[in-house]
């Protein structure tokens, strides 16, 4: 039978063991889950087209003939990372029969359904990057949003993405070979749509009243710390549902860029921030694409930052008005990221000034002994006995004192002499 004290000790040990086990379980869970989160956010799968597959698209320049618009099937071999698929088949096609020198056209890639290496905990987007081999022309860089990722599901549905190809100003045929693909996971959140109907107006071109549908995807950083720049990737894809995005009358001047502005809240970030990217054409009337824009914000505290895409400006500066596109005020998709602690996140407290304490100096007391010399009858100072009070002249007071002493002495002697004489007379009579 356990005593009451023994039972209490057993209960305390059991509670302590239970708490330790709980902490160990939580720590272990965190340790086991951390790599999965990192894999979901940071890892990339790269897929390379087989050299034995002929999936080359051909688009004649100007009036040339002999084009091959596809679709062509390319077989890609993939590395481990974001997806687990080791091999995928992608169809490539274009609707362009010919292209003008310096003109552009789209190549569509039909991406099949894919399987993620890590089951996602939140909804997101699978970003697709494409690096083809193109001659004699250039291909659009950056990534495009692919299949939608659903929370708690590793399967990503099939999705078609389009990349812009810009022909050279010389040559007779544009040839596009599959090249390589990359897959990464975006971190967009929110309930709004990422396809934005921009209202675009151009200075000097009264006929440019474009309602242009542009799919905007912001990719926030996977890690961010206070008092350090955080980079947000802005990717824009012009949709076929609205008006085309074309260079206004008069064309763009040299140095024209795409400027994207985002609205930001939380963690001490500025209310807005702007980044810049390049565009594919400056020729009046030609359709153009927007390359990836990088926007940087600098949070000053820890917490969560919320981002919303804003204006797009095409000019030599972000304040230009050559071509300005404004999004609607509501219904936009938001994106979030978390800011952790970093160097300098804790502000250095302002030192409290130490009050100046003046230590009072001790009062120096000086005792001064004044020796007063006695005065004679005429008021003149004579002498004061050592360490004594001013008692007068004493035995040395002067001739008057000596006179009294001498007189007294003489009287005593006279009295003595008189007494002897009287006694002597008495004896002689007798």
């Amino acid at each position: 039978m356990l005593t009451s004290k023994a039972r209490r000790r057993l209960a305390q040990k059991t509670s302590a063991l239970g708490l330790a086990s709980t902490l160990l379980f939580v720590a272990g869970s965190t340790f086991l889950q951390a790599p999965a989160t990192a894999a979901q956010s940071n890892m990339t799968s790269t897929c390379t087209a087989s050299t034995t597959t002929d999936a080359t698209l051909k688009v004649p320049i100007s009036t040339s003939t002999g084009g091959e618009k596809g679709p062509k099937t390319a077989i890609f071999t993939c590395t481990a990372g974001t997806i687990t698929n080791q091999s995928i088949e992608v169809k490539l096609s274009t609707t362009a029969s010919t292209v003008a020198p310096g003109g552009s056209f789209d190549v569509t890639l039909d991406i099949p359904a894919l399987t993620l290496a890590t089951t996602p905990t939140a909804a997101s987007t699978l970003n697709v990057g494409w690096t083809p081999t193109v001659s004699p022309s250039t291909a659009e860089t950056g990534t495009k949003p692919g299949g939608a990722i659903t929370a708690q599901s590793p399967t990503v549905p099939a999705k078609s993405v389009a990349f812009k190809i810009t022909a050279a100003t010389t040559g007779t045929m544009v040839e596009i070979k599959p090249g390589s693909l990359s897959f990464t996971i975006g971190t967009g959140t929110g309930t709004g749509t990422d396809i934005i109907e921009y209202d675009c107006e151009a200075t000097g071109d009264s006929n440019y009243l474009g309602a242009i549908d542009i799919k905007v995807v912001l990719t926030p950083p996977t890690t961010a710390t206070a008092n350090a720049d955080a980079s947000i990737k802005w990717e824009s894809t012009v949709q076929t549902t609205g008006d085309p995005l074309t260079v206004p009358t008069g064309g763009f001047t040299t140095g024209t860029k795409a400027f994207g502005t985002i609205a930001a809240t939380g963690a001490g970030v500025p209310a807005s921030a702007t980044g810049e990217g390049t565009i594919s054409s400056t020729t009046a009337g030609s359709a153009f694409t927007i390359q990836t824009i990088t926007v940087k914000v600098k949070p000053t505290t820890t917490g969560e930052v919320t981002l919303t895409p804003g204006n797009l400006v095409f000019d030599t500066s972000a304040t230009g008005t050559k071509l300005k596109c404004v999004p609607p005020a509501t219904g936009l998709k938001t994106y979030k990221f978390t800011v952790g602690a970093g160097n300098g996140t804790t502000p250095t407290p302002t030192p409290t000034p130490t009050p100046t304490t003046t230590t009072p100096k001790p009062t120096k007391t000086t005792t001064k002994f004044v020796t007063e010399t006695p005065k004679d009858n005429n008021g003149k100072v004579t002498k004061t006995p050592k360490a004594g009070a001013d008692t007068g002249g004493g035995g040395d007071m002067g001739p008057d004192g000596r006179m009294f002493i001498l007189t007294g002495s003489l009287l005593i002697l006279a009295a003595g002499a008189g007494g002897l004489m009287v006694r002597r007379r008495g004896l002689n009579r007798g």
Side-chain angles (χ1 to χ4, degrees):
M1 179 70 69
L2 292 175
T3 64
S4 297
K5 182 180 292 186
R7 283 195 297 271
R8 284 196 300 272
R9 287 181 179 175
L10 179 60
Q12 291 172 354
K13 289 181 180 180
T14 304
S15 299
L17 288 173
L19 177 59
S21 300
T22 302
L23 292 174
L24 182 59
F25 174 76
V26 172
S29 299
T30 303
F31 176 77
L32 291 174
Q33 290 176 358
T37 302
Q40 177 180 336
S41 301
N42 299 328
M43 295 185 68
T44 301
S45 285
T46 302
C47 304
T48 305
S50 171
T51 56
T52 60
T53 302
D54 184 11
T56 302
L57 298 178
K58 297 180 180 180
V59 177
I61 296 177
S62 190
T63 59
S64 300
T65 59
E68 297 179 24
K69 298 188 296 183
K72 296 289 188 74
T73 301
I75 299 175
F76 290 84
T77 302
C78 303
T79 61
T82 305
I83 61 175
T84 60
N85 306 76
Q86 296 182 356
S87 179
I88 60 175
E89 291 186 359
V90 177
K91 293 184 181 299
L92 291 80
S93 61
T94 180
T95 57
S97 300
T98 60
V99 61
S104 59
F105 59 93
D106 286 341
V107 172
T108 300
L109 285 71
D110 295 331
I111 308 296
L114 302 171
T115 303
L116 297 176
T118 303
T119 300
T121 57
S124 186
T125 304
L126 184 66
N127 293 329
V128 181
W130 184 41
T131 306
T133 301
V134 184
S135 176
S137 55
T138 57
E140 181 180 2
T141 59
T143 60
K144 296 297 181 72
I149 295 174
T150 305
Q152 308 304 327
S153 174
T155 301
V156 180
K159 180 67 182 294
S160 296
V161 295
F163 288 84
K164 191 74 65 179
I165 304 295
T166 302
T169 56
T170 60
T172 58
M173 187 75 67
V174 177
E175 294 187 355
I176 305 106
K177 294 183 178 181
S180 62
L181 293 169
S182 64
F183 297 99
T184 56
I185 295 177
T187 55
T189 60
T191 58
T193 178
D194 51 11
I195 298 178
I196 303 171
E197 183 182 286
Y198 276 93
D199 181 12
C200 301
E201 295 185 8
T203 299
D205 189 348
S206 58
N207 295 323
Y208 200 111
L209 299 174
I212 302 172
D213 291 339
I214 302 177
K215 185 171 185 177
V216 175
V217 176
L218 303 183
T219 304
T222 55
T223 59
T225 57
N227 296 316
D229 285 336
S231 296
I232 298 99
K233 184 166 62 175
W234 173 318
E235 294 172 300
S236 308
T237 307
V238 180
Q239 306 297 294
T240 58
T241 53
D243 295 332
L245 180 63
T246 58
V247 179
T249 301
F252 288 138
T253 59
T254 302
T256 295
K257 297 179 181 179
F259 296 91
T261 299
I262 61 172
T265 58
V269 296
S272 64
T274 301
E276 62 181 54
T278 58
I279 55 178
S280 62
S281 177
T282 59
T283 305
S286 64
F288 67 93
T289 57
I290 309 165
Q291 307 302 324
T292 300
I293 297 172
T294 299
V295 184
K296 292 185 177 182
V297 297
K298 188 174 185 178
T300 56
T301 63
T302 59
E304 187 177 67
V305 176
T306 301
L307 309 170
T308 306
N311 293 350
L312 277 169
V313 171
F314 305 96
D315 209 326
T316 55
S317 71
T319 58
T321 58
K322 181 60 179 178
L323 177 56
K324 183 176 182 179
C325 299
V326 179
T330 59
L332 301 175
K333 191 178 186 69
T334 58
Y335 300 80
K336 300 178 186 294
F337 68 94
T338 302
V339 180
N343 293 333
T345 57
T346 303
T348 303
T350 303
T352 303
T354 303
T356 303
T357 304
T358 304
T359 304
K361 295 182 179 179
T363 303
K364 184 177 181 181
T365 303
T366 303
T367 304
K368 185 176 182 180
F369 296 94
V370 178
T371 303
E372 185 176 352
T373 304
K375 302 176 182 179
D376 58 13
N377 291 336
N378 295 326
K380 296 180 179 181
V381 177
T382 57
K383 186 178 180 181
T384 299
K386 183 178 180 181
D390 186 4
T391 58
D396 296 330
M397 62 182 180
D400 291 339
R402 289 192 294 271
M403 183 181 293
F404 288 121
I405 293 172
L406 180 59
T407 300
S409 299
L410 291 176
L411 287 174
I412 292 172
L413 290 174
L420 290 174
M421 290 178 67
V422 171
R423 183 183 179 195
R424 183 174 292 180
R425 287 177 181 177
L427 289 174
N428 290 334
R429 288 178 182 178

